[in-house]
């Protein structure tokens, strides 16, 4: 049955208008974005199938260009989903810029999860902060396997000075899905901390993002 044949009070778009987005399930929110379904399936049916295929919203965010290959999705629908996810990422970025990053740890984690969601290789990111710990700039500094040889402290120091940063939060992803820090991760963090100390820039934290997990070095006592 098409959604237009449903009672008005059960249609996702009408329910969103009446009760707000929080009242809708993940599938219903996705259906609002999709607008139409596929042959023999309503938009809600298609949304449910996509979420099952992707193992939830997080998997959907990580799917990237692969969305266009999924049954029932063409380029137009895939682009709509990608645009919505990017808007969410930018909204979280604006929230970080307007607040103290240390008093909004979940906002930092949510932003990083979205930032790394579709990355298939290791990426090293720095969130440069002012004296009030508000985000000045977010920069992707390095890609590839992260070691002391591939992440150059000199370049990190130059980027921090260019941003006029007082503090920094580092983050990188583990595409393997395992958030446990390696010995190389710990050594690199200490090396960067010492290099930045010379220019009076504090390292507040280093996050490892692996899927839905976002591990904090500070919380682990590794700083």
């Amino acid at each position: 049955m098409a959604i237009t044949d449903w009672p008005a009070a059960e249609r996702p778009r009408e329910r969103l208008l009446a009760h707000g987005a929080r009242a809708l399930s993940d599938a219903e929110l996705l259906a609002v974005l999709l607008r139409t379904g596929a042959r023999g399936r309503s938009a809600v049916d298609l949304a449910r199938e996509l979420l099952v295929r992707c193992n939830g919203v997080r998997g959907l965010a990580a799917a990237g260009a692969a969305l266009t290959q999924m049954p029932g999705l063409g380029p137009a629908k895939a682009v709509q989903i990608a645009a919505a996810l990017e808007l969410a990422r930018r909204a979280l970025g604006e929230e970080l810029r307007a607040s103290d990053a240390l008093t909004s740890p979940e906002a930092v984690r949510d932003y990083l999860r979205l930032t790394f969601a579709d990355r298939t290789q290791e990426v090293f990111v720095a969130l440069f902060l002012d004296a009030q710990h508000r985000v000045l700039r977010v920069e992707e500094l390095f890609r590839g396997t992260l070691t002391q040889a591939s992440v150059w402290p000199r370049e990190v120091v130059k980027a921090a000075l260019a941003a006029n940063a007082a503090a920094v939060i580092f983050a990188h992803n583990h595409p393997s899905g395992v958030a446990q820090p390696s010995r190389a991760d710990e050594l690199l963090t200490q090396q960067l901390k010492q290099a930045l100390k010379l220019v009076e820039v504090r390292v507040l934290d280093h996050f490892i993002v692996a899927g839905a997990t976002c591990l904090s070095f500070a919380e682990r006592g590794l700083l």
Side-chain angles (χ1 to χ4, degrees):
M1 180 187 294
I3 290 177
T4 53
D5 296 325
W6 295 9
E10 297 179 12
R11 299 173 194 164
R13 187 169 58 184
E14 282 72 8
R15 288 186 60 228
L16 189 152
L17 290 171
H19 305 292
R22 290 181 181 274
L24 274 63
S25 67
D26 293 344
E28 289 171 327
L29 287 170
L30 183 54
V32 172
L33 282 175
L34 295 174
R35 298 179 61 192
T36 60
R39 182 174 297 177
R41 292 170 291 171
S42 70
V44 173
D45 293 332
L46 179 57
R48 287 174 181 150
E49 290 177 18
L50 289 172
L51 290 171
V52 169
R53 284 178 176 272
C54 295
N55 294 315
V57 176
R58 181 175 59 82
L60 187 71
L67 284 174
T68 58
Q69 308 303 316
M70 294 186 182
L73 275 193
K77 285 185 170 65
V79 164
Q80 287 169 211
I81 295 171
L85 291 168
E86 181 59 26
L87 282 172
R89 186 179 294 115
R90 294 184 187 189
L92 285 169
E94 288 184 9
E95 180 180 343
L96 287 182
R97 288 175 173 82
S99 61
D100 181 332
L102 292 187
T103 62
S104 307
E106 280 311 306
V108 174
R109 282 181 160 89
D110 288 343
Y111 176 77
L112 292 174
R113 289 187 190 103
L114 269 179
T115 296
F116 291 118
D118 58 351
R119 302 305 183 96
T120 57
Q121 65 177 149
E122 286 195 42
V123 179
F124 186 85
V125 168
L127 285 71
F128 294 116
L129 314 175
D130 65 14
Q132 286 74 46
H133 298 154
R134 292 173 301 198
V135 175
L136 295 166
R137 186 184 303 176
V138 179
E139 288 192 36
E140 180 184 306
L141 298 177
F142 304 99
R143 289 188 186 187
T145 302
L146 303 181
T147 65
Q148 288 170 282
S150 63
V151 177
W152 300 342
R154 179 180 62 185
E155 297 302 317
V156 176
V157 170
K158 283 171 60 178
L161 292 175
N164 196 28
V168 62
I169 293 173
F170 295 122
H172 77 277
N173 62 321
H174 280 182
S176 65
V178 179
Q180 188 65 28
S182 66
R183 182 57 182 158
D185 292 332
E186 295 180 30
L187 290 173
L188 173 61
T189 303
Q190 291 303 319
Q191 186 180 32
L192 292 173
K193 182 179 177 181
Q194 293 304 314
L196 287 163
K197 185 177 180 180
L198 297 174
V199 292
E200 299 182 335
V201 177
R202 291 180 60 206
V203 176
L204 301 181
D205 209 339
H206 185 167
F207 288 96
I208 295 178
V209 182
T213 304
C214 198
L215 179 143
S216 161
F217 275 50
E219 291 176 1
R220 285 286 188 95
L222 297 175
L223 283 178

